[in-house]
Amino acid sequence: MFRVGYYQFRLLFGKPEQNCKKIITVLDSVESDLLVLPELALSGYYFANKEEALHFSEDPNNSKNIDSICELAAKKNMHLVLGFVERQQNNCFNSAALIGPNGIEHIYRKIHLFNEEKFIFAEGDIPFKVNTINGVKLGLIVCFDWVFPETIRMLAMQGAQVICQPANLVLTYCQQTMIARSIENRVFIITCNRYGQEIRPQGALKFTGRSQIVAPGGNILHRSAAQREAIYLCDIDPKDANNKFITKYNHLFNDRRVEFYK
Ligand code: ACM
């Protein structure tokens, strides 16, 4: 079995050290193989402009905050998926790092930017990749990637058994949609959202909470409340994601008629 979970919390805009400290304090007492954190979990979300995002960005090769999350992963012998603003020269990406006991194992850069994110972040430029930890195959997406079925399909067809989705959801459809993604790909999906509000000069956003874990076939193993802190952990058998037959004669991948999808 493989223990997975998420930590849904209310993070503070523009307070990366405080948010990082909160993550480390709370997770110090958690035992899990894998734990997913929200999108942009250090900085907050609703940047006024690119300069502000750059100001709160992290260079993963030179970041005290990310180093301390790496130390946590080493101390607890676990893997974490952390959303953060990744700085690269004069650009930033809305990224998710897979961090293990030996440090950063992979960084995914959000490919589909949501709404005003298009004025802040560069579009993700790295292909989808499946990472294996303790024999379990993980795929990463970030929040709004959910609305493009191709994202999870690509990862599932590369063998991903567990999809990790750091999120800052403001729309209300994602959680329901992930049930369909899990049915059509027979994968586990861990969605870690945040809750609370960000009130900024350019407007206010309310995050919808309801983080969840969905099992292959669409069963919701757990869904948290909308506006409350939550840590949820459960044991899953990732091999449940290996059988892609939905009936005896219907295979989700082999039965695709790609010649009609052009
Ligand atoms: C989103 O992609 N953060 C809505």
Side-chain angles (χ1 to χ4, degrees):
M1 294 300 254
F2 186 66
R3 179 150 274 232
V4 298
Y6 59 76
Y7 177 34
Q8 166 176 306
F9 66 106
R10 176 167 53 192
L11 59 107
L12 302 173
F13 180 86
K15 305 272 183 216
E17 287 79 18
Q18 277 187 51
N19 293 323
C20 188
K21 209 177 237 174
K22 183 177 172 83
I23 292 168
I24 288 167
T25 307
V26 171
L27 298 195
D28 198 47
S29 57
V30 165
E31 304 297 330
S32 190
D33 295 307
L34 171 69
L35 195 126
V36 183
L37 292 159
E39 177 183 12
L40 303 176
L42 300 174
S43 57
Y45 178 79
Y46 201 13
F47 298 110
N49 49 47
K50 182 176 160 185
E51 286 64 42
E52 191 177 49
L54 276 168
H55 180 72
F56 292 114
S57 63
E58 314 275 344
D59 172 353
N61 299 311
N62 185 17
S63 159
K64 270 197 194 146
N65 290 324
I66 293 185
D67 285 353
S68 50
I69 302 275
C70 292
E71 281 161 26
L72 173 76
K75 178 178 171 199
K76 305 295 297 183
N77 192 28
M78 69 168 153
H79 280 78
L80 295 152
V81 176
L82 169 77
F84 71 106
V85 186
E86 180 190 0
R87 180 168 68 250
Q88 196 191 55
Q89 284 137 14
N90 211 26
N91 274 323
C92 48
F93 295 94
N94 184 338
S95 296
L98 174 65
I99 296 173
N102 298 319
I104 297 177
E105 297 184 12
H106 179 58
I107 292 179
Y108 166 72
R109 294 171 167 169
K110 185 175 186 176
I111 286 179
H112 304 96
L113 299 174
F114 176 68
N115 207 357
E116 293 144 289
E117 286 178 34
K118 293 192 173 196
F119 308 116
I120 310 280
F121 298 106
E123 289 179 326
D125 55 356
I126 301 175
F128 290 106
K129 177 170 181 281
V130 171
N131 286 266
T132 304
I133 65 164
N134 310 349
V136 179
K137 294 186 163 59
L138 302 185
L140 269 53
I141 64 170
V142 173
C143 203
F144 191 59
D145 284 326
W146 67 266
V147 91
F148 300 91
E150 294 86 349
T151 58
I152 294 180
R153 179 70 100 195
M154 290 287 302
L155 287 163
M157 291 191 71
Q158 285 180 44
Q161 297 163 308
V162 180
I163 305 294
C164 304
Q165 182 195 25
N168 277 193
L169 293 161
V170 291
L171 304 177
T172 53
Y173 333 108
C174 172
Q175 290 88 341
Q176 289 303 94
T177 306
M178 286 319 198
I179 297 170
R181 298 285 176 274
S182 166
I183 292 169
E184 68 206 10
N185 294 291
R186 291 198 60 81
V187 287
F188 291 91
I189 306 176
I190 305 170
T191 299
C192 181
N193 196 11
R194 56 185 282 204
Y195 77 101
Q197 290 188 71
E198 283 184 12
I199 300 169
R200 305 292 335 279
Q202 72 276 24
L205 289 177
K206 183 169 180 184
F207 302 97
T208 56
R210 297 166 80 234
S211 297
Q212 66 181 21
I213 301 181
V214 184
N219 286 335
I220 302 173
L221 300 181
H222 188 263
R223 181 181 279 171
S224 286
Q227 296 300 319
R228 198 176 305 155
E229 181 155 318
I231 289 194
Y232 180 73
L233 302 168
C234 66
D235 291 323
I236 62 168
D237 185 350
K239 289 196 293 299
D240 289 348
N242 294 352
N243 181 358
K244 302 300 182 188
F245 283 97
I246 195 163
T247 72
K248 197 171 164 189
Y249 299 113
N250 293 105
H251 189 279
L252 291 170
F253 298 166
N254 298 346
D255 286 5
R256 295 167 72 237
R257 303 286 309 279
V258 289
E259 66 274 30
F260 288 103
Y261 302 160
K262 296 197 173 89

